[in-house]
Amino acid sequence: MSSSNLRVALVGSTGYTALEVARLLLTHPSAELVVATSRQDEGKPLSEIHPMLAGRCDVALQPLDADVIAKSADVAMCCLPHGASAESVKQLADAGMRVIDFSADFRLSSLETYEHWYGVKHPWPERIGNVVYGMPEFFADEIRSADIVANPGCYPTSAIMPLAPLVKAGLIDTDDIIVDSKSGVSGAGRSPKLGTLYCETNESISAYAVGTHRHAPEIADLVERIAGAPIEVMFTPHLTPMDRGILSTIYVKPAGKAGSVEEAVRSMMSLLRDTYSDQPCVHVVDHLPATKYVAGTNHVQISVRPSGKRAVIVCAIDNLTKGASGAAVQNMNVMFGLPETAGLLM
Amino acid sequence: MSSSNLRVALVGSTGYTALEVARLLLTHPSAELVVATSRQDEGKPLSEIHPMLAGRCDVALQPLDADVIAKSADVAMCCLPHGASAESVKQLADAGMRVIDFSADFRLSSLETYEHWYGVKHPWPERIGNVVYGMPEFFADEIRSADIVANPGCYPTSAIMPLAPLVKAGLIDTDDIIVDSKSGVSGAGRSPKLGTLYCETNESISAYAVGTHRHAPEIADLVERIAGAPIEVMFTPHLTPMDRGILSTIYVKPAGKAGSVEEAVRSMMSLLRDTYSDQPCVHVVDHLPATKYVAGTNHVQISVRPSGKRAVIVCAIDNLTKGASGAAVQNMNVMFGLPETAGLLM
Amino acid sequence: MSSSNLRVALVGSTGYTALEVARLLLTHPSAELVVATSRQDEGKPLSEIHPMLAGRCDVALQPLDADVIAKSADVAMCCLPHGASAESVKQLADAGMRVIDFSADFRLSSLETYEHWYGVKHPWPERIGNVVYGMPEFFADEIRSADIVANPGCYPTSAIMPLAPLVKAGLIDTDDIIVDSKSGVSGAGRSPKLGTLYCETNESISAYAVGTHRHAPEIADLVERIAGAPIEVMFTPHLTPMDRGILSTIYVKPAGKAGSVEEAVRSMMSLLRDTYSDQPCVHVVDHLPATKYVAGTNHVQISVRPSGKRAVIVCAIDNLTKGASGAAVQNMNVMFGLPETAGLLM
Amino acid sequence: MSSSNLRVALVGSTGYTALEVARLLLTHPSAELVVATSRQDEGKPLSEIHPMLAGRCDVALQPLDADVIAKSADVAMCCLPHGASAESVKQLADAGMRVIDFSADFRLSSLETYEHWYGVKHPWPERIGNVVYGMPEFFADEIRSADIVANPGCYPTSAIMPLAPLVKAGLIDTDDIIVDSKSGVSGAGRSPKLGTLYCETNESISAYAVGTHRHAPEIADLVERIAGAPIEVMFTPHLTPMDRGILSTIYVKPAGKAGSVEEAVRSMMSLLRDTYSDQPCVHVVDHLPATKYVAGTNHVQISVRPSGKRAVIVCAIDNLTKGASGAAVQNMNVMFGLPETAGLLM
């Protein structure tokens, strides 16, 4: 790679989103992974904890020292758990780095909402409400100049992308939106837990965190921020026996009384097509999306169909790519003036 | 097996529900598979088209001749496609056999609804509205004396079991019920089709037949028949990368305005517990059901949780067992005065 | 169930083999689970740690006290890890119980081999070489009167069943036998570990413990014990993305020089057919076995094919059933004079 | 893309290898898919038969007319079945195009071997033995100037890569090599067949074509061509429940008698490391390869371990990438003087 490459530091390297960042950077034409940190595995090559990187990436794991990292890298991708993440983000930002934070620590507008749902004191409350949400489709200008970008949650991405434009255009009722989401198991992380063992999740689908998942307030917050109107959203996540992918099936009521549901659906499809016509990653399609159609890519597929009195929106993303690391690379590209989809499988 | 065993004929033997019938009968203490028919594979042993039966079942495939079958068997399990099924059911019934029909041909109350949704002329319209629906939890008395039993659809089973008692008790609104169902691939049958190839469905979840699936009218029809009130149900099926299982996530509004959603959910759980307290196959549970918890069994797990203004019902069944062949064996047991769960994995 | 049922104690209840024992006993006509022990979860219902038992089994977990258990149960199924297991087996036997031990502690003939491969001091060395190996196909008489039965390992079952008769009959060379085995993930147990997380094993096949797996000496030991001749076996296990099943592909050389490989294969098939003609669980088949053909059952499918100068034996079992808990129930049936396949899905 | 891009024609577009070519070309920096042919789906966009290309590729399907294609494209990737492929390759070559043929039609050295194993008359026998085998690791010079390249088979790639150097160096016996290969289901193609339905292959592993698979002679032929010595290879393929990947477990005997197996294994590892030190796609690794470690990439992972008297080689590739379409892109890059790994995920 050329010496003029953008130098990327991976902060927190053991999880699936970290691996996905490394994987994407391997083919990025003008960015390069130069630093990877880990508490437990200091000194080991990154490829030892992620054997698919064998022979492809020889970065050695180092401890998280913000000042040291700031000397070697231009941007940090922070893949730490919430709470812990905000502290590191602060240190990295104080050391002068631009940071993309994968945690939920800076995504919400309100400190109270954060502390209520995440059950922790926020380590850097001043920045709440003051960090851009890393969805370039809506916030590209702020991202361009941001010091910190809050990388979106996976489920929220699959819900906000279709809902925000429809709410903004007044095409759907805002008080009874149901988001039924199905996620691959990688969304549950790489820490060994009974619930994500192969034999617990394989050949099984289950709902979890019904009525209590932290991504519900994130969806509502962002749709309101983008569309300017509060919504009521009921969100049910499901664990699905596959590695990757989120399919959100969203039940909405067409606003107003005029016209048939079929007409309303056509208006929605048309509005979504217009909204995303210039966006390289979002595709409004006639077929019904499947997670396989977007697996390993940063693409989003959206379609809308009538069903009784409601419209059913189906949205598919890859939870690790557009739902996490791909979005982070896209954000990085925007922050540093690179082509928006560089390094992404397009 | 004893010579006094109930003798069962399998009519249409190549599919997954037929295999499941054969599998269950192998361990049934007092019923026995004695006939299996197939158009294409006449003369072959059943175990040649289902190699898991090798050494376990030596029935040879024969053509479908109702009079011949009636001499060898006491009851026919008819696993043919809709339309074709009704004709064979008529022949078998005319030959004096009692028949359990796996198709949709006799499930609906109304000929018009049937012909509208299935797009065929019904070959035996006189019997529409005049055949018991094979759900012993609600229709045991009629099943006991029935000549023909319409075996329930897989998705409908997962929706009717929780919805019917709640509607009957007036605990939920009837005009905005959303059923979001996720099924294993075996529900799509064993005919080679692009859409059910391993590499098309593995690692992918997708919605299909949004707003147009034939099980929507079956759910509505049966809930109305059991509960005495019409409902509006929006039904979205999904293809899930697993062999077996249906998980239905059902979004309902508590009826009336008094009390919190939490209280309404408690009332629903309590009513469902009472309804099914004597039923050996239905379990109202505190944990969130997963399809794995009922895989290979005739059991149903149901739970209800609050989420915003709605209650979320989660119901898990095995689509091939309680959703098809297990229910058929249960119906057969009731029809012939055997213990209701004989031959089922309890 | 009747009060004259055989009363079974499950010692060590949290793993997959324990669940499989419980599942099988639910449909056993004359045995019943009456005790289940667990160190961590004392007092909880067994169904809380295995939610598929909800509403089906209400045994509460109790601590392992051999004298207490001996008063309530007739036989103990001991599902503890090696080393720990031998100690408990001793206590249970001392308390007068008959015990089926799932661990490797009493499988091998030689103390030295055991201590070399398992790296622990054996807590009850006197019994080494003095406990029957629980394979009723070869040791039914000893099992009938045994106080302790060493339940076979999963991989060894899939190798011993085809190899022992062929070696005994002198049909194959004994010095270059290659066993390439593929197992479902349940064989790796239910303790949360990185290597058995869904996203580590799904969509991947890998070899492990090449040249170092403890089941290699078990295969050699038992083939020698049954066939009376030492063999050299090279054993390579693989982790396969499925819940259950072992497929062993075994490469052998026909003994002697006379005749073609095709003829040798016919002799092998014929000998295996004769050997197992009266065995209810072993099927020598013309088709190539697949693990799906035996999933959830106690059946074994074996076939032999020519390939170049060698014969290829393919043997399929379910690792949790015939490879563990099903064999244990079969052993129990033999020990207590019940029909050999009672409670097994036949 | 720039107008100076290499223009690629995809001949035969409906299968998984064709999709993989399209997927890889989407991110290729200097090649572009400009033509795609299909008999059945003329006029449709390629993205209609491969919905993951929606919004990413708007090539319309056209009939196979060699002269028309030769005017629009520089190189043809021919993804047709054997027999049919040779005819089209001839037409395309006659029209002046350079062709990469995915079929087996030009892979073997001998017409007799081809016609024996493939059971068809070869349509262009003059070229047998006269087309380069598309494995740039061994034949880069011939590929550079080739008019036609025979793209390697998937299984052979996983066997030849480790075996050829070891045979050439005389490190292993050539008369008793056993290749036990496990492939994902995509290797079986995209035509609807019973055997590749989800519910037939999921949760199951099985051997097939034991002793009769056409890739056995291809492995032997190429190892002999590269290493200069004939070998005897026994090859057993297995269908594994995953989309992609091949793991080959290869049992070899160290040549000569001097030294331990451990030493022999070290020599093999060392020789393989030297052989592939400059190759960007081949990695000799200390860990045991898994197919997941190379999924979606053009990489090969190889390791060798001792086991008894033998050495066990484990080799992992992605059957659709290095085993088919990735190798084809690599070949194309070599043919046209592009960087060898351009467009491949490295």
Side-chain angles (χ1 to χ4, degrees):
Chain A
M1 291 204 176
S2 130
S3 61
S4 63
N5 270 342
L6 183 69
R7 299 166 308 162
V8 184
L10 190 54
V11 175
S13 302
T14 51
Y16 294 124
T17 54
L19 171 60
E20 183 77 355
V21 167
R23 184 178 83 90
L24 292 170
L25 291 178
L26 285 174
T27 46
H28 198 293
S30 48
E32 187 176 1
L33 186 68
V34 295
V35 169
T37 80
S38 168
R39 254 187 326 198
Q40 311 107 292
D41 297 296
E42 203 184 317
K44 286 188 190 169
L46 180 59
S47 63
E48 192 171 319
I49 52 170
H50 295 301
M52 48 283 284
L53 299 177
R56 303 164 66 191
C57 174
D58 55 5
V59 170
L61 293 164
Q62 62 183 69
L64 199 177
D65 181 321
D67 292 317
V68 170
I69 297 171
K71 281 176 193 134
S72 333
D74 305 303
V75 59
M77 301 266 192
C78 197
C79 304
L80 298 172
H82 69 84
S85 193
E87 289 187 51
S88 298
V89 168
K90 186 170 191 318
Q91 292 163 13
L92 293 159
D94 287 349
M97 295 196 79
R98 299 178 79 180
V99 185
I100 299 167
D101 180 27
F102 282 57
S103 86
D105 286 353
F106 300 101
R107 291 185 198 147
L108 300 178
S109 308
S110 140
L111 183 62
E112 276 167 295
T113 309
Y114 176 84
E115 297 192 339
H116 170 73
W117 283 85
Y118 287 85
V120 293
K121 269 278 166 225
H122 198 288
W124 199 10
E126 300 76 19
R127 288 303 300 261
I128 290 284
N130 195 13
V131 169
V132 65
Y133 193 75
M135 197 171 265
E137 289 79 3
F138 297 109
F139 303 107
D141 284 344
E142 293 95 314
I143 292 168
R144 237 179 297 280
S145 57
D147 59 338
I148 305 172
V149 169
N151 210 50
C154 52
Y155 287 123
T157 297
S158 72
I160 296 163
M161 305 284 304
L163 284 176
L166 297 175
V167 170
K168 191 172 183 183
L171 292 184
I172 59 175
D173 279 1
T174 56
D175 65 345
D176 189 26
I177 296 170
I178 292 169
V179 177
D180 186 289
S181 294
K182 297 91 177 167
S183 174
V185 183
S186 60
R190 205 183 179 211
S191 303
K193 278 174 293 194
L194 180 65
T196 48
L197 289 183
Y198 185 86
C199 293
E200 302 291 316
T201 47
N202 184 44
E203 289 294 292
S204 195
I205 186 164
S206 58
Y208 67 99
V210 176
T212 63
H213 197 282
R214 292 155 169 176
H215 282 174
E218 185 177 331
I219 296 168
D221 187 343
L222 265 294
V223 171
E224 179 167 1
R225 246 196 274 174
I226 296 166
I231 64 165
E232 259 181 76
V233 63
M234 234 183 79
F235 170 61
T236 310
H238 296 76
L239 203 58
T240 310
M242 57 188 190
D243 276 2
R244 289 160 167 255
I246 287 177
L247 190 84
S248 286
T249 311
I250 306 175
Y251 300 89
V252 297
K253 283 187 194 147
K257 292 289 163 210
S260 68
V261 173
E262 283 70 19
E263 283 166 40
V265 164
R266 277 193 294 274
S267 302
M268 293 179 200
M269 285 287 281
S270 170
L271 178 92
L272 290 168
R273 284 213 160 89
D274 290 350
T275 304
Y276 292 116
S277 59
D278 293 336
Q279 291 296 342
C281 298
V282 189
H283 308 284
V284 181
V285 297
D286 289 326
H287 64 260
L288 283 167
T291 57
K292 192 159 212 161
Y293 300 164
V294 296
T297 80
N298 209 49
H299 293 285
V300 182
Q301 291 195 355
I302 302 172
S303 200
V304 192
R305 296 280 170 98
S307 180
K309 291 182 188 160
R310 288 197 178 235
V312 181
I313 304 164
V314 182
C315 178
I317 64 165
D318 182 308
N319 63 309
L320 288 182
T321 319
K322 185 60 178 168
S325 309
V329 169
Q330 189 182 0
N331 282 318
M332 180 190 79
N333 290 338
V334 172
M335 290 167 83
F336 290 88
L338 304 173
E340 186 171 335
T341 61
L344 298 167
L345 308 182
M346 303 306 299
Chain B
M1 291 203 175
S2 129
S3 61
S4 64
N5 270 341
L6 183 68
R7 300 166 307 161
V8 184
L10 190 53
V11 175
S13 301
T14 52
Y16 294 125
T17 54
L19 171 59
E20 184 77 355
V21 168
R23 183 178 83 91
L24 292 170
L25 291 178
L26 286 173
T27 45
H28 198 293
S30 48
E32 186 176 1
L33 187 67
V34 295
V35 169
T37 79
S38 168
R39 254 185 327 196
Q40 311 107 291
D41 297 295
E42 204 183 318
K44 287 188 190 169
L46 180 59
S47 63
E48 192 171 319
I49 52 171
H50 295 301
M52 49 283 284
L53 299 177
R56 303 164 66 191
C57 174
D58 55 4
V59 170
L61 293 164
Q62 61 183 68
L64 200 177
D65 181 321
D67 292 318
V68 170
I69 297 171
K71 281 175 193 136
S72 333
D74 305 303
V75 60
M77 300 265 191
C78 197
C79 303
L80 298 172
H82 69 83
S85 194
E87 288 186 52
S88 298
V89 169
K90 186 170 190 317
Q91 292 162 14
L92 293 159
D94 287 348
M97 293 195 80
R98 300 178 78 179
V99 186
I100 299 167
D101 180 26
F102 283 57
S103 85
D105 286 352
F106 299 101
R107 291 185 199 148
L108 299 178
S109 308
S110 141
L111 183 62
E112 277 168 293
T113 309
Y114 176 85
E115 296 193 341
H116 170 73
W117 282 86
Y118 287 85
V120 292
K121 269 276 165 224
H122 198 288
W124 198 10
E126 300 76 21
R127 290 301 302 261
I128 290 284
N130 195 12
V131 169
V132 65
Y133 193 76
M135 196 170 266
E137 289 79 3
F138 296 108
F139 303 107
D141 284 344
E142 292 95 314
I143 293 168
R144 237 179 296 281
S145 57
D147 59 338
I148 305 173
V149 169
N151 210 50
C154 52
Y155 287 123
T157 296
S158 73
I160 295 163
M161 306 283 304
L163 284 176
L166 297 175
V167 170
K168 190 170 183 183
L171 292 183
I172 59 175
D173 279 2
T174 55
D175 65 346
D176 188 26
I177 297 169
I178 292 170
V179 178
D180 186 288
S181 294
K182 298 91 177 168
S183 173
V185 183
S186 59
R190 205 184 178 210
S191 304
K193 278 174 293 194
L194 180 65
T196 48
L197 289 183
Y198 186 86
C199 293
E200 302 291 315
T201 47
N202 184 44
E203 289 294 292
S204 194
I205 187 166
S206 58
Y208 68 98
V210 176
T212 64
H213 197 283
R214 291 155 171 175
H215 283 174
E218 185 176 332
I219 297 168
D221 187 343
L222 266 293
V223 171
E224 179 167 0
R225 244 195 277 173
I226 296 166
I231 64 166
E232 258 182 76
V233 64
M234 236 183 76
F235 170 61
T236 310
H238 296 76
L239 203 58
T240 309
M242 55 189 192
D243 276 2
R244 288 159 168 256
I246 286 176
L247 190 84
S248 285
T249 312
I250 306 175
Y251 300 89
V252 297
K253 283 188 195 145
K257 291 291 160 207
S260 66
V261 173
E262 283 71 19
E263 283 167 41
V265 164
R266 277 192 294 274
S267 302
M268 293 179 200
M269 286 286 280
S270 169
L271 177 92
L272 290 169
R273 283 211 161 92
D274 290 351
T275 304
Y276 291 116
S277 59
D278 292 336
Q279 292 296 343
C281 298
V282 189
H283 308 283
V284 182
V285 296
D286 290 325
H287 64 261
L288 283 166
T291 56
K292 192 159 214 162
Y293 299 163
V294 296
T297 79
N298 209 48
H299 293 285
V300 182
Q301 290 194 354
I302 303 172
S303 201
V304 192
R305 295 282 170 96
S307 179
K309 291 183 187 159
R310 287 195 178 238
V312 181
I313 303 163
V314 181
C315 178
I317 64 165
D318 182 308
N319 62 307
L320 288 182
T321 319
K322 185 59 178 169
S325 309
V329 169
Q330 190 182 0
N331 282 317
M332 179 190 80
N333 290 337
V334 173
M335 290 166 84
F336 290 88
L338 305 173
E340 186 171 335
T341 61
L344 298 167
L345 309 183
M346 302 306 299
Chain C
M1 291 205 176
S2 129
S3 60
S4 63
N5 270 341
L6 182 69
R7 300 165 308 160
V8 184
L10 189 54
V11 175
S13 302
T14 52
Y16 295 124
T17 53
L19 171 59
E20 184 77 355
V21 168
R23 183 179 83 90
L24 292 170
L25 291 177
L26 286 173
T27 46
H28 198 294
S30 49
E32 187 176 0
L33 186 67
V34 296
V35 168
T37 80
S38 167
R39 252 185 330 197
Q40 311 107 292
D41 298 294
E42 203 183 319
K44 286 187 191 170
L46 180 59
S47 63
E48 192 171 319
I49 53 171
H50 296 300
M52 49 281 286
L53 300 178
R56 303 164 66 190
C57 174
D58 55 4
V59 169
L61 293 163
Q62 61 184 68
L64 200 177
D65 181 320
D67 292 317
V68 170
I69 297 171
K71 281 177 194 133
S72 332
D74 305 303
V75 60
M77 300 267 192
C78 196
C79 304
L80 297 172
H82 69 84
S85 193
E87 290 188 50
S88 298
V89 169
K90 185 170 192 318
Q91 292 162 13
L92 293 159
D94 287 348
M97 294 195 80
R98 299 178 80 180
V99 186
I100 298 167
D101 180 25
F102 283 57
S103 85
D105 285 353
F106 300 100
R107 291 185 200 149
L108 299 178
S109 307
S110 141
L111 182 62
E112 276 167 294
T113 310
Y114 176 84
E115 296 193 341
H116 170 72
W117 283 86
Y118 287 86
V120 293
K121 270 274 164 229
H122 198 289
W124 198 11
E126 300 76 22
R127 288 304 298 262
I128 289 284
N130 195 12
V131 168
V132 66
Y133 193 75
M135 197 171 266
E137 289 80 4
F138 297 108
F139 303 107
D141 284 346
E142 294 95 314
I143 293 168
R144 236 180 297 280
S145 59
D147 60 337
I148 305 173
V149 170
N151 209 50
C154 51
Y155 287 123
T157 297
S158 72
I160 296 162
M161 306 285 302
L163 284 176
L166 297 176
V167 170
K168 191 171 184 183
L171 293 184
I172 60 174
D173 279 2
T174 56
D175 66 345
D176 188 26
I177 296 170
I178 292 169
V179 178
D180 187 287
S181 294
K182 298 91 178 166
S183 173
V185 183
S186 60
R190 204 184 181 209
S191 303
K193 279 174 293 196
L194 180 64
T196 47
L197 289 184
Y198 186 86
C199 294
E200 303 290 316
T201 47
N202 184 43
E203 289 295 291
S204 195
I205 186 164
S206 58
Y208 68 99
V210 176
T212 63
H213 197 282
R214 292 156 170 176
H215 282 173
E218 185 176 332
I219 296 168
D221 188 342
L222 266 293
V223 171
E224 179 168 1
R225 243 194 278 175
I226 297 166
I231 63 165
E232 259 181 75
V233 65
M234 236 183 76
F235 170 60
T236 310
H238 296 76
L239 202 58
T240 310
M242 56 189 192
D243 276 2
R244 290 161 166 254
I246 287 177
L247 190 84
S248 286
T249 312
I250 306 176
Y251 300 89
V252 296
K253 284 188 194 145
K257 293 290 161 208
S260 68
V261 173
E262 284 70 20
E263 283 166 40
V265 164
R266 277 193 294 274
S267 302
M268 293 180 200
M269 286 286 281
S270 170
L271 177 92
L272 290 169
R273 283 213 161 90
D274 289 351
T275 304
Y276 292 117
S277 59
D278 292 338
Q279 291 296 343
C281 297
V282 189
H283 308 284
V284 181
V285 296
D286 289 324
H287 63 261
L288 283 166
T291 58
K292 193 159 213 161
Y293 299 163
V294 296
T297 80
N298 209 49
H299 292 285
V300 182
Q301 290 194 356
I302 302 174
S303 201
V304 192
R305 295 282 170 97
S307 180
K309 291 182 189 161
R310 288 197 177 238
V312 181
I313 304 164
V314 181
C315 178
I317 64 164
D318 182 308
N319 63 308
L320 288 181
T321 319
K322 184 60 178 168
S325 310
V329 168
Q330 190 182 359
N331 282 318
M332 179 190 80
N333 291 336
V334 173
M335 290 167 83
F336 290 89
L338 304 173
E340 187 172 334
T341 60
L344 298 168
L345 309 183
M346 302 307 297
Chain D
M1 290 206 177
S2 130
S3 60
S4 64
N5 271 342
L6 182 69
R7 299 166 308 159
V8 184
L10 190 54
V11 175
S13 302
T14 52
Y16 295 125
T17 54
L19 171 59
E20 184 76 354
V21 168
R23 183 179 83 90
L24 292 170
L25 291 177
L26 285 173
T27 46
H28 198 293
S30 48
E32 187 176 0
L33 186 67
V34 296
V35 168
T37 79
S38 167
R39 253 187 327 200
Q40 311 106 293
D41 298 295
E42 203 184 318
K44 286 188 191 170
L46 180 59
S47 63
E48 193 171 320
I49 52 171
H50 296 300
M52 50 281 286
L53 300 177
R56 302 165 67 191
C57 174
D58 55 4
V59 169
L61 293 164
Q62 61 183 68
L64 199 177
D65 180 323
D67 293 317
V68 170
I69 297 171
K71 281 177 193 133
S72 333
D74 305 304
V75 59
M77 301 267 193
C78 197
C79 304
L80 298 172
H82 69 83
S85 194
E87 289 188 50
S88 299
V89 169
K90 186 170 190 318
Q91 293 162 13
L92 292 159
D94 287 349
M97 293 196 80
R98 300 178 79 181
V99 185
I100 299 167
D101 180 26
F102 283 56
S103 85
D105 286 352
F106 300 100
R107 291 186 200 149
L108 299 178
S109 307
S110 140
L111 183 62
E112 276 167 294
T113 310
Y114 177 84
E115 297 192 341
H116 170 72
W117 283 87
Y118 287 86
V120 293
K121 270 275 165 229
H122 198 288
W124 198 11
E126 299 77 19
R127 288 303 300 262
I128 289 284
N130 195 12
V131 169
V132 65
Y133 192 76
M135 197 171 266
E137 289 79 3
F138 297 108
F139 304 107
D141 284 344
E142 293 95 314
I143 293 168
R144 237 181 297 280
S145 58
D147 59 337
I148 305 173
V149 169
N151 209 51
C154 51
Y155 286 123
T157 296
S158 72
I160 296 162
M161 306 284 304
L163 284 176
L166 296 176
V167 171
K168 191 173 183 182
L171 293 183
I172 59 175
D173 279 1
T174 55
D175 65 346
D176 188 27
I177 297 170
I178 292 170
V179 178
D180 187 287
S181 295
K182 298 90 178 167
S183 173
V185 183
S186 60
R190 205 184 179 210
S191 302
K193 278 174 293 195
L194 180 65
T196 48
L197 289 184
Y198 185 86
C199 293
E200 302 291 316
T201 48
N202 184 45
E203 289 294 291
S204 195
I205 186 164
S206 58
Y208 67 99
V210 176
T212 64
H213 197 282
R214 292 156 170 177
H215 282 175
E218 185 177 332
I219 296 168
D221 187 343
L222 267 294
V223 171
E224 179 168 2
R225 245 196 276 175
I226 296 167
I231 64 166
E232 258 181 76
V233 65
M234 235 184 77
F235 170 62
T236 310
H238 296 77
L239 202 59
T240 310
M242 56 189 191
D243 276 2
R244 291 161 166 254
I246 287 177
L247 190 85
S248 286
T249 311
I250 306 176
Y251 300 89
V252 296
K253 284 188 194 145
K257 292 289 163 211
S260 68
V261 173
E262 284 69 20
E263 283 166 41
V265 164
R266 277 193 295 273
S267 301
M268 294 181 199
M269 286 286 281
S270 170
L271 178 93
L272 290 168
R273 283 214 161 90
D274 289 350
T275 304
Y276 292 116
S277 59
D278 292 336
Q279 291 295 343
C281 298
V282 189
H283 308 284
V284 181
V285 297
D286 289 325
H287 64 260
L288 283 166
T291 58
K292 192 158 213 162
Y293 299 164
V294 296
T297 80
N298 209 50
H299 293 285
V300 182
Q301 290 194 355
I302 302 173
S303 202
V304 192
R305 296 281 170 97
S307 179
K309 292 183 189 160
R310 288 196 176 238
V312 181
I313 304 164
V314 182
C315 178
I317 64 165
D318 183 309
N319 63 308
L320 288 182
T321 318
K322 185 60 178 166
S325 309
V329 168
Q330 190 182 357
N331 283 318
M332 179 190 79
N333 290 338
V334 173
M335 290 168 84
F336 291 88
L338 304 173
E340 186 171 334
T341 60
L344 298 168
L345 308 183
M346 303 306 298

